Amino acid sequence: MQVEEKKVVGIHYKLTDDDGKVLDSSENAQPLMFIFGIGMLIPGLEKALEGKTKGDSLSVSIKPADAYGERDPGLTQMVPKDQFDEPEKLQVGMQFQVDTDHGALVVTITEVNDDNVKIDGNHPLAGVNLNFDVSVEEVREATQEELDHGHVHGPGGHSHG
Ligand code: ZN
């Protein structure tokens, strides 16, 4: 059975940047389970997986345009620390949600100095080339219920307890 629209696919993967730093991995975890073709993966990875079958391995390098997009310098901003409830706790890497004219945005603190913090509304992987090593662990039909819910049920998937 091939990876195609409305199939449930399970993959093991390792994601590295161009310096070889591991950004994410399913090692020591369940395979990542998803319904193919409904936008659960970045476009570049979906494209690479299409037509593959169980047991296939692939390595693919994905440009930002097919992943999390290019970085937008306009999404960074200096904010006075005293605008926060607990300014003494602010640290680089902290993430929180802010309301903007364009809706809710998740921002990351990328700099902290005496009076201000720099916040960045870009996705942490924006502008990054993503290098995936992937092995296809499972390909099966999605159940109607899974398609209705838009997620995978069972091991590695969603549990409705
Ligand atoms: Zn469900």
Side-chain angles (χ1 to χ4, degrees):
M1 187 177 289
Q2 290 192 335
V3 175
E4 59 186 11
E5 217 158 288
K6 297 185 180 170
K7 296 285 192 289
V8 168
V9 181
I11 59 170
H12 272 304
Y13 67 97
K14 189 171 79 170
L15 168 61
T16 53
D17 65 15
D18 281 352
D19 297 326
K21 182 180 160 210
V22 177
L23 302 174
D24 196 9
S25 165
S26 64
E27 207 182 356
N28 303 322
Q30 297 265 16
L32 173 70
M33 304 292 295
F34 56 93
I35 302 172
F36 189 82
I38 64 170
M40 294 173 89
L41 291 187
I42 56 172
L45 193 51
E46 287 223 325
K47 214 180 295 174
L49 279 167
E50 184 151 33
K52 296 287 187 286
T53 57
K54 181 176 172 173
D56 281 351
S57 293
L58 58 144
S59 294
V60 59
S61 183
I62 300 170
K63 297 265 177 267
D66 287 322
Y68 294 99
E70 303 291 348
R71 284 186 58 79
D72 178 356
L75 290 176
T76 62
Q77 196 185 339
M78 295 300 281
V79 180
K81 272 182 168 176
D82 57 20
Q83 290 197 6
F84 293 87
D85 290 338
E86 300 179 291
E88 70 283 0
K89 292 192 176 165
L90 297 170
Q91 281 180 12
V92 169
M94 285 174 75
Q95 290 189 315
F96 51 94
Q97 196 167 310
V98 295
D99 294 316
T100 73
D101 297 344
H102 311 289
L105 185 68
V106 174
V107 301
T108 308
I109 295 180
T110 56
E111 235 179 86
V112 179
N113 60 36
D114 288 346
D115 300 318
N116 300 293
V117 296
K118 191 185 217 178
I119 59 173
D120 187 344
N122 286 288
H123 188 282
L125 293 178
V128 177
N129 285 330
L130 303 182
N131 305 298
F132 282 94
D133 289 313
V134 178
S135 62
V136 180
E137 304 293 323
E138 184 171 353
V139 184
R140 66 166 168 83
E141 298 286 352
T143 65
Q144 190 55 50
E145 194 183 40
E146 287 173 324
L147 293 173
D148 289 346
H149 289 195
H151 55 226
V152 175
H153 293 160
H158 197 89
S159 165
H160 289 289

